[in-house]
C-alpha cells in the first residue's frame, strides 16, 4: 500500500476498515489485496480527510473514504469539532439519494467507530468551483443542481411529511456543531466589526463601513440568522456553495452534506445564487463579460427550475414563493458578505480585490432590499444594478 500526503487520519486504518466491509459491495472487492491498493489524498476540504483508495491494476476501480477527525482539520487539534458530523453526512447522503436518485455519490457504508464514510468515487466529475472559475458550466448542469435540491426539499418538507415523520427528521437533523459553525461564521462574526477571525484586503477595508455603519444591514443579517435557526421547513444541504457540487458535462451531484439540518429551503438557494453572483464579479473583472452574463442566466434558471420542481408549500403557493425569494435575497446577501469580510473566502475572488469590493456592494444591496424582492429577476436587477 502507498499513500500520498495531506491526511491527518491513519491510512492503514482506512484500509483495514474498508477491507472489513469488502463483502458488502463488489466495488470494494479490490481492497482484499492490500498490496494492490494505493491511497491518495483528494480535494482541499477544510474539515475532513478525503482519500481515494484505488486499484493499481485497474484505473476504473476506486472508492472514496471520508474521515472526520475530532477537530477542524485546516485549523488543527486545538479547534475541536464533534465527530457526529460523519454520521449526519452519511444519513443525509442516504436521504438525498432516496428523495432524488443520483443527486449524491452512492454510499457503501458508514463505520461509526472509525468515523469513516465509504462512498462512490465520482472519478469523471469535477469540482464546480474550479470549473466555473474557468468559465465552464452548462445550463443543463445548472438545471440538474436546482432540480435535485428542489426534489430533496419537496420530499422532506413539513407540508409533505406526517407529524411523526417530521419529528423523526427533526431528530435526525437537528442543531449540530456544524449548524453552530454556520450561525457563527455566516451570520455573526462577519457582521461583528473587529472579530479576530475576519480577514480582508486593504481595498475591501475601505468599503467595510457599508456593512458596519449601516444599521439596516446589521439588523437584517440578524433577522436572517433568526430565520435560519428557527424556520423548520425542510431538510436542507446547509452549505450549498459551488465547492459542494461536482459536475460532469450536463450532470451534477451534490456532496459534502455534513451541514444538513431541518431549516429554511431558501438558505440553500440563497447560498447557490450568491456563489453564481460572486462568479459574475470574477468574470467581469477578468474581462470575460460573456460568461459573466451567463451567470445571471444561471440564477434565473435556478429559480425557474427550483419552483417547477419544489411543489410542496405551506399557505398559498404564490405568497409562499414570494416570501421564499425574499429570504433567498437575504441569505444570498449574508453569504456574499461573509465570503468577503469573514474567515472563509472563495477562490473566485482571491487576488481580485476590486471584484470583491463590487461583490460586497451586491451583498449589501440584497440584504437592504430583501423585503422588496419577490422574484429572481428583481433579485438580479438589484444585485447587479441592471437597468
Ligand atoms: P470537507 O468536508 O473536508 O470540505 P468535501 O466533502 O468537500 O470535504 O471533499 C473535499 C474534496 O474531495 C471535494 O472538493 C472533492 O474534490 C473531493 N471529493 C469528495 N467526495 C468525493 C467523491 N465522492 N468522489 C470524488 N471526489 C470527491
Ligand atoms: C470556519 S468555517 C469554514 C467554512 O467551510 C465550510 O465549507 C463552510 O462553508 C464553513 O462556513
Ligand atoms: Mg467541504
Amino acid at each position: 500500500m502507498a499513500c500520498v500526503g495531506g491526511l491527518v487520519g491513519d491510512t492503514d486504518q482506512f484500509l483495514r476498515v474498508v477491507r472489513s466491509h469488502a463483502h458488502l459491495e463488489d466495488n470494494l472487492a479490490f481492497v482484499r489485496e492490500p498490496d494492490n491498493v494505493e491511497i491518495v489524498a483528494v480535494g482541499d476540504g477544510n474539515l475532513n480527510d478525503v482519500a481515494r483508495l484505488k486499484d493499481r491494476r485497474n484505473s476504473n476501480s476506486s472508492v472514496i473514504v471520508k474521515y472526520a477527525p475530532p477537530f477542524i482539520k485546516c485549523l488543527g487539534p486545538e479547534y475541536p469539532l464533534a465527530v457526529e458530523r460523519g454520521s449526519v453526512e452519511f444519513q443525509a447522503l442516504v436521504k438525498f439519494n432516496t428523495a432524488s436518485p443520483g443527486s449524491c455519490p452512492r454510499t457503501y457504508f458508514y463505520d461509526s467507530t472509525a468515523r469513516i464514510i465509504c462512498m462512490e468515487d465520482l472519478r469523471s466529475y469535477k469540482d464546480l468551483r474550479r470549473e466555473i472559475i474557468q468559465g465552464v458550466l452548462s445550463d443543463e448542469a445548472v438545471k440538474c443542481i436546482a432540480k435535485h435540491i428542489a426534489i430533496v426539499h419537496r420530499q422532506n418538507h413539513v407540508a409533505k411529511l406526517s407529524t411523526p415523520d417530521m419529528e423523526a427528521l427533526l431528530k435526525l437533523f437537528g442543531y449540530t456543531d456544524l449548524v453552530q459553525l454556520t450561525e457563527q461564521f455566516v451570520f455573526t462574526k462577519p457582521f461583528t466589526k473587529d472579530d479576530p477571525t475576519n480577514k480582508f484586503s486593504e481595498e475591501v477595508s475601505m468599503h467595510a463601513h457599508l456593512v458596519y455603519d449601516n444599521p439596516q444591514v446589521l439588523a437584517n443579517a440578524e433577522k436572517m440568522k433568526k430565520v435560519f435557526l428557527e424556520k423548520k421547513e425542510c431538510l436542507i444541504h446547509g452549505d450549498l456553495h459551488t465547492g459542494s457540487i461536482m459536475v460532469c458535462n450536463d450532470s451534477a451531484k451534490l456532496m459534502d452534506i455534513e451541514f444538513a439540518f431541518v431549516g429554511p429551503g431558501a438558505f440553500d438557494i440563497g447560498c447557490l445564487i450568491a456563489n453564481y453572483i460572486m462568479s459574475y464579479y470574477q468574470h467581469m473583472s477578468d474581462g470575460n463579460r460573456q460568461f459573466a452574463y451567463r451567470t445571471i442566466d444561471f440564477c434565473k434558471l435556478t429559480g425557474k427550475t427550483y419552483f417547477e420542481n419544489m411543489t410542496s408549500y405551506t399557505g398559498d403557493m404564490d405568497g409562499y414563493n414570494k416570501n421564499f425569494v425574499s429570504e433567498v435575497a437575504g441569505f444570498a446577501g449574508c453569504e456574499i458578505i461573509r465570503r468577503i469580510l469573514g474567515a472563509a473566502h472563495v477562490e473566485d475572488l482571491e487576488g481580485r480585490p476590486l471584484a470583491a469590493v463590487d461583490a460586497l456592494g451586491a451583498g449589501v444591496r440584497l440584504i437592504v432590499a430583501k423585503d422588496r424582492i419577490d422574484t429572481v429577476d428583481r433579485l438580479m436587477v438589484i444585485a447587479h444594478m441592471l437597468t
Side-chain angles (χ1 to χ4, degrees), residues 41-52 63-67 73 85 89 104-106 119-127 130 178 239 241 243-246 255-259:
V42 289
D44 49 4
N46 289 336
L47 307 182
N48 306 293
D49 270 351
V50 180
R52 171 173 290 126
V63 295
I64 291 288
V65 155
K66 183 163 176 176
Y67 161 71
K73 181 181 166 184
R85 65 189 190 273
E89 176 156 14
C104 299
R106 276 198 306 135
M119 64 182 126
E120 175 188 3
D121 185 2
L122 301 175
R123 277 186 296 275
S124 51
Y125 284 70
K126 293 184 178 151
D127 182 314
R130 298 214 185 106
L178 294 199
D239 191 27
H241 56 87
S244 295
I245 299 167
M246 294 184 80
M255 29 134 350
D256 199 9
I257 322 190
E258 62 201 327
F259 286 77

Side-chain angles (χ1 to χ4, degrees), residues 257-305:
I257 322 190
E258 62 201 327
F259 286 77
F261 86 117
V262 178
F267 184 67
D268 281 345
I269 303 302
C271 280
L272 187 56
I273 283 185
N275 280 265
Y276 290 146
I277 289 173
M278 289 186 278
S279 176
Y280 170 91
Y281 289 104
Q282 179 225 315
H283 287 287
M284 284 305 258
S285 135
D286 292 358
N288 186 1
R289 280 173 175 265
Q290 210 180 354
F291 191 80
Y293 292 144
R294 284 198 59 216
T295 66
I296 301 177
D297 296 334
F298 296 158
C299 294
K300 293 182 181 176
L301 206 47
T302 295
K304 182 172 180 291
T305 310

Side-chain angles (χ1 to χ4, degrees), residues 14 18 28 53 77 82 93-94 111 114 116 150 176 178 196 222 229-230 246 248 252 258 264 267 282 297 338 348 378:
F14 293 175
V18 179
L28 305 179
L53 271 60
L93 284 165
V94 172
D111 186 306
I116 284 174
T176 61
L178 294 199
E222 199 58 35
L229 291 172
E230 294 178 5
M246 294 184 80
C248 176
E258 62 201 327
F267 184 67
Q282 179 225 315
D297 296 334
R338 77 101 168 197
D348 317 50
R378 185 149 176 77

Side-chain angles (χ1 to χ4, degrees), residues 15 18 22 25-34 36-38 53-57 61-63:
L15 184 56
V18 179
E25 207 22 87
D26 288 350
N27 289 323
L28 305 179
F30 73 94
V31 301
R32 291 208 180 97
E33 293 175 62
N36 295 325
V37 179
E38 188 177 353
L53 271 60
K54 59 181 188 181
D55 187 344
R56 292 176 192 281
R57 300 157 310 174
S61 190
S62 56
V63 295

